[in-house]
Amino acid sequence: MDLGIKGKTAIVCAASKGLGKGCAMALARDGVDVVISARGAEALNATAEEIRKATGVKVTAIACDVTTEEGRKQILAACPSPDILINNAGGPPPGDFKDFSLDDWRKAVEWNMITPIALTKATVYGMMDRGFGRIINITSQSVKAPIASLELSNGARAGLTGAVAVMARRAVKRNVTINALLPGPFDTDRLRGSTKKMAELQGVSVEDAMNQRKTAVPAGRFGTTEEFGAAAAFLCSAHAGYITGQNLLLDGGIYPGTM
Ligand code: NAP
């Protein structure tokens, strides 16, 4: 299927690995020039080269921390008028409500709520003037059903969801959509790291902990970054202009609700 976005430009945040990389690669395969960012320059440049070789599109790598104003300035200087914006950053750490300081909460809100709001504000009006735009917030299944150990994430990501819900309905008149993709467990470094910690806490092998987590997914497996990227690319396509303000779960069936 031709997604109808060849020649467009996308900012994909936090994209040297994992879900962000999956999105950048999928958009690039559809002919979109991508500006990718991450803090670590080495992995970022390697990913940029991998995408260039695989797709032939223009790839610009900006090594910066997207959760800082300075980092966002660098990204926007490289790409002031993107057609597509994929908001993404690292997630807040796990823990317990009683142990989180107010600064922990401020940091989580800065990373997972303020940062995507800032980039949306900086780009959405230009998209509306030009008559095309696609913004995707990578959030989490925790927006639909809270995850016990991830209260910082539950709160900040649900806050973002509410914050853009009206804008998503305003912008769509100008063919600009804002949606969120809600990942369940995907096979990335983050998932492997958290499973390793889980194994240590439970005194089981990493392999056992991995299998335990997979068994909890009706699909019987973790999602792949390619699947995630393909879903994001469709939402960014010319065909998806009537989908806005949605929170789409990609979770292999974990969410137990009928709707
Ligand atoms: P990952 O494999 O660990 O990759 C994270 C990527 O983000 C890396 O490229 C990392 O590079 C970059 N990054 C992290 N913090 C950054 C920052 N402050 N500024 C710029 N780049 C940054 O993680 P992932 O699994 O793809 O997760 C992506 C997001 O989805 C996270 O917020 C995560 O909580 C959420 N999520 C993931 C899953 C899952 O199962 N994988 C499920 C639900 C939600 P550097 O470290 O070099 O910056």
Side-chain angles (χ1 to χ4, degrees), residues 234-250:
F234 177 75
L235 269 189
C236 293
S237 75
H239 313 296
Y242 208 56
I243 306 174
T244 198
Q246 298 304 301
N247 291 279
L248 305 173
L249 278 165
L250 275 76

Side-chain angles (χ1 to χ4, degrees), residues 92-169:
D96 190 281
F97 196 90
K98 74 172 166 7
D99 303 319
F100 294 135
S101 67
L102 289 185
D103 265 349
D104 292 331
W105 282 104
R106 286 188 189 102
K107 231 185 256 174
V109 168
E110 190 68 42
W111 289 358
N112 298 116
M113 183 174 171
I114 303 291
T115 291
I117 288 173
L119 286 172
T120 298
K121 192 172 171 204
T123 56
V124 71
Y125 297 102
M127 290 176 181
M128 287 165 72
D129 287 345
R130 295 190 298 279
F132 179 92
R134 301 285 183 260
I135 299 177
I136 294 182
N137 293 318
I138 298 181
T139 62
S140 167
Q141 66 177 100
S142 71
V143 168
K144 289 277 273 192
I147 298 173
S149 59
L150 291 176
E151 286 162 303
L152 293 173
S153 170
N154 301 339
R157 295 186 198 279
L160 172 64
T161 305
V164 298
V166 170
M167 196 58 218
R169 273 102 183 154

Side-chain angles (χ1 to χ4, degrees), residues 14 16-19 38-40 65-66 88-91 157 183-184 186 188 190:
S16 66
K17 298 182 202 166
L19 304 179
R39 291 163 303 182
D65 184 339
V66 70
N88 186 31
R157 295 186 198 279
F186 274 78
T188 66
R190 179 175 166 93

